[in-house]
Amino acid sequence: MRIATWNVNSLLARLERLEHWLESAQPDVVCLQETKLADDAVPALAFQALGYDCAHHGEGRWNGVAILSRVGIDDVVPGFAAGIEPDPDARLVTARCDGVLVVSIYVPNGRSVDHEHYQYKLSWLARLREHLDVVSEPGDQVVVLGDWNIAPTDRDVWSVDKMEGSTHVTVPERDALASLVDWGLVDVFREHHDEEGLYSWWDYRRGDFHQRRGLRIDFALASASVADRVEFCVVDRNARKGKQPSDHAPVVIDLAA
């Protein structure tokens, strides 16, 4: 089973690239972020033509998340589960795909540490943990994928000095992420790759992609039952190349049967 996540930074702007990538990479499940579409504007027929069902949670111009699956998609939950403070933005969708509980997330950016959006980010991450308590059951296979807008450690940042005092690397953000790990999740990419300089996002400006100035902020956290099945994990840098790419690259994990 191949599962991937990709912040496409506008689904309509990147649809042709996404279709080509789906045909090439052949993922079974794909989590998308920043679709920037309302639910009724999703190109569902284009995905169906490629064999994918789609669960989408969107609001229009901003945010928007989706799960594409060609192995079934059930128990769809748009946003946080019932009983949790609702989110004003479309940043989360959950579904079961071939027995795996898949959560596609787009964590708030935070903007700056003195901005109210930063507090919203920390609150959002706390509610994500509550959400997992509600939607999962003991023994579930769980994988939470997406754009986390957090670099877990200093080796996930091209320059610690340049990022000092910025969001994505602060102690409260990393502690919030660690709380999710403590819930029972594993950063599967780091189980397979220990090197520095492995990123998933590069700013469009200053030639950052070619200069290898990036951040690893797109990744999968998985329950042990899923992490133990991971045979392969990679950031598909090729999808960041060419004309009008997203500023993010897909992250792909392969699970053994």
Side-chain angles (χ1 to χ4, degrees):
M1 185 177 183
R2 173 165 288 181
I3 306 177
T5 182
W6 193 2
N7 180 323
V8 291
N9 191 12
S10 177
L11 180 53
L12 290 187
R14 240 64 70 181
L15 181 58
E16 185 175 351
R17 290 185 66 110
L18 175 59
E19 289 173 321
H20 290 163
W21 186 82
L22 291 172
E23 292 177 328
S24 173
Q26 291 292 305
D28 297 296
V29 178
V30 186
C31 294
L32 302 176
Q33 300 85 41
E34 275 200 278
T35 63
K36 299 181 180 178
L37 291 177
D39 292 341
D40 60 5
V42 173
L45 291 178
F47 295 138
Q48 289 174 10
L50 295 171
Y52 293 90
D53 294 319
C54 176
H56 183 269
H57 179 43
E59 61 195 75
R61 294 179 60 198
W62 313 112
N63 309 310
V65 287
I67 299 173
L68 308 183
S69 175
R70 62 180 187 181
V71 292
I73 190 162
D74 302 296
D75 303 329
V76 176
V77 180
F80 289 120
I84 300 173
E85 179 187 349
D87 192 47
D89 297 338
R91 296 182 174 274
L92 173 76
V93 65
T94 304
R96 290 188 183 273
C97 305
D98 194 23
V100 178
L101 185 69
V102 178
V103 188
S104 177
I105 65 168
Y106 177 41
V107 176
N109 177 282
R111 299 180 186 171
S112 65
V113 293
D114 58 352
H115 197 285
E116 63 181 10
H117 204 260
Y118 178 77
Q119 296 304 319
Y120 163 53
K121 180 177 190 175
L122 298 179
S123 168
W124 196 96
L125 290 162
R127 282 181 286 159
L128 176 59
R129 177 165 174 156
E130 293 181 48
H131 176 78
L132 294 177
D133 283 333
V134 174
V135 298
S136 65
E137 301 174 358
D140 263 349
Q141 298 184 83
V142 180
V143 60
V144 187
L145 309 95
D147 177 357
W148 291 82
N149 271 316
I150 302 171
T153 68
D154 287 351
R155 62 182 165 170
D156 300 307
V157 179
W158 77 273
S159 172
V160 175
D161 291 341
K162 294 289 187 182
M163 292 294 296
E164 185 176 2
S166 300
T167 59
H168 295 53
V169 300
T170 66
V171 171
E173 290 168 285
R174 287 176 170 176
D175 284 350
L177 183 61
S179 177
L180 288 160
V181 171
D182 291 343
W183 183 86
L185 301 175
V186 177
D187 182 348
V188 296
F189 185 86
R190 281 305 182 197
E191 291 290 293
H192 293 260
H193 301 282
D194 194 46
E195 310 96 300
E196 296 182 356
L198 300 175
Y199 310 127
S200 64
W201 174 89
W202 302 261
D203 198 306
Y204 285 125
R205 299 167 292 179
R206 303 182 303 271
D208 279 5
F209 178 69
H210 301 288
Q211 296 296 324
R212 296 185 177 273
R213 296 189 292 252
L215 302 173
R216 188 177 76 93
I217 57 175
D218 305 85
F219 47 89
L221 295 187
S223 61
S225 57
V226 174
D228 290 344
R229 294 174 59 195
V230 176
E231 298 182 315
F232 175 76
C233 184
V234 69
V235 177
D236 186 357
R237 282 174 47 90
N238 287 330
R240 178 60 173 78
K241 301 175 182 178
K243 294 182 179 180
Q244 295 185 319
S246 169
D247 45 356
H248 298 253
V251 179
V252 182
I253 61 174
D254 282 354
L255 308 181

